[in-house]
Amino acid sequence: MSKEIISASEMERYGYCPLSWWLGRSGVEAEGSEVESGLAKHREIGDSLRTLLFEESRSRETSSTLLAVVGYITLLVLAALFILWRVGTFEGNIVLIVSLVCMLAATYLLYRLLQSTERIDQLRDDYRLGEGDIEAPDGLSDHSPVLKSEKHNLAGRPDYILHEDGARLPVEVKTGRRPQAPFFSHVLQTGAYCLLVEEAGGTPPPGGQLRYGLDSEPHFVAWEPKLRSIVLEKLGEMNDALAGRSEVHRNHNRPGKCRNCSRRQGCPERLDRPPAGGNT
């Protein structure tokens, strides 16, 4: 029997409340308007990122075409000068006219390239992405990172991966408002992506980015020994639960946290649960 793979997004749910994660594993559906709202916002973020990647891909294609056209123009002008010198003005003028047409085409391509570059710069400024290359899991970039760890029974797809100073930084984008400090569950998920990037590339990343919306200042989550130890500890607990070696229970005494849980209606341990025999 094959092992059940744990996803990095599940680690976020486990960090929020182990029982909520277990209920999701057991088939209890998430409920509440915030679930649909979060999914819609995440799709919007994905569309924005795809727009940027499309613009960058089109810009690269336009640059290659423009370079080729400039090369053809150079050859045509040289050919025209040679014909004027050796053959005659009529043939040479024909080649010069063709060269002028190509120059007009090159001017149009340059205009498109400048427009595309301006849009790319604006999007990167809006999303605070810097100048690094981006890997995305939707096939719009040169690489499609689907990260897996057989050793830890873990798999996951960060929203994207930034290349900075030769390092690959996984980025997780959340749709809620930006808190003063990242939530533990979100840090745990980002740490899971760092572990996956480390195993995939053989080199530990300096850390990952946690973002609350694409246009907000990112939190940097350092991939340090303490976080690595916590990630491995939680993975061990989750693997033990999946293997039947341990039980899963609520890990907090915060009624507000229970009220905000999307699986509260199916939870047998929720703190706002009415007493047995009482009114609902």
Side-chain angles (χ1 to χ4, degrees):
M1 183 177 177
S2 61
K3 296 173 68 175
E4 296 182 74
I5 300 295
I6 295 170
S7 70
S9 59
E10 286 184 84
M11 293 203 70
E12 188 270 332
R13 292 197 293 273
Y14 189 87
Y16 182 83
C17 176
L19 185 52
S20 177
W21 162 73
W22 185 254
L23 290 170
R25 270 280 184 171
S26 304
V28 176
E29 295 291 335
E31 299 178 359
S33 58
E34 64 275 10
V35 176
E36 285 301 320
S37 174
L39 289 173
K41 288 180 180 178
H42 220 91
R43 285 192 292 268
E44 183 180 336
I45 289 171
D47 289 342
S48 299
L49 184 59
R50 277 190 288 274
T51 297
L52 171 61
L53 293 174
F54 175 76
E55 286 289 347
E56 291 189 330
S57 175
R58 188 167 67 173
S59 178
R60 287 191 294 270
E61 292 175 359
T62 303
S63 297
S64 299
T65 304
L66 179 60
L67 184 61
V69 171
V70 170
Y72 292 144
I73 292 172
T74 302
L75 291 175
L76 285 170
V77 170
L78 291 174
L81 292 174
F82 178 79
I83 292 171
L84 285 170
W85 174 51
R86 296 296 300 270
V87 179
T89 57
F90 178 76
E91 293 82 356
N93 287 336
I94 292 296
V95 178
L96 283 175
I97 290 171
V98 173
S99 301
L100 288 173
V101 172
C102 290
M103 288 180 67
L104 289 174
T107 303
Y108 171 72
L109 288 173
L110 180 60
Y111 170 73
R112 280 187 52 186
L113 180 60
L114 291 174
Q115 277 194 320
S116 182
T117 301
E118 185 177 346
R119 283 193 294 267
I120 290 168
D121 290 343
Q122 186 62 55
L123 286 169
R124 280 188 173 263
D125 286 344
D126 290 345
Y127 303 154
R128 302 172 188 264
L129 291 172
E131 300 296 328
D133 291 337
I134 297 173
E135 293 180 39
D138 55 11
L140 284 175
S141 62
D142 294 335
H143 305 283
S144 296
V146 180
L147 308 176
K148 296 180 181 179
S149 169
E150 297 291 339
K151 179 180 178 181
H152 298 295
N153 192 38
L154 178 68
R157 289 171 179 247
D159 286 308
Y160 56 95
I161 295 177
L162 277 179
H163 289 225
E164 289 189 355
D165 300 324
R168 300 168 72 213
L169 279 67
V171 182
E172 173 63 17
V173 183
K174 297 298 180 184
T175 57
R177 65 177 180 83
R178 187 180 191 271
Q180 289 187 345
F183 298 122
F184 168 75
S185 58
H186 298 167
V187 172
L188 188 65
Q189 182 180 5
T190 307
Y193 289 132
C194 288
L195 180 63
L196 288 168
V197 168
E198 175 183 323
E199 293 216 357
T203 303
Q209 284 188 6
L210 183 55
R211 312 190 64 167
Y212 293 87
L214 275 178
D215 56 351
S216 68
E217 187 70 27
H219 289 288
F220 179 73
V221 179
W223 184 230
E224 55 189 8
K226 182 178 179 181
L227 178 56
R228 193 178 198 279
S229 177
I230 293 173
V231 169
L232 294 179
E233 176 188 348
K234 298 304 178 185
L235 272 172
E237 294 173 4
M238 296 167 79
N239 278 306
D240 284 344
L242 291 174
R245 293 188 292 266
S246 65
E247 295 182 352
V248 178
H249 297 283
R250 171 175 49 81
N251 68 340
H252 64 89
N253 290 297
R254 295 165 54 190
K257 194 170 185 177
C258 279
R259 284 194 297 272
N260 290 324
C261 179
S262 59
R263 292 183 174 85
R264 58 188 174 274
Q265 298 304 324
C267 181
E269 298 181 12
R270 72 178 191 267
L271 291 171
D272 60 347
R273 190 175 183 82
N279 295 327
T280 57

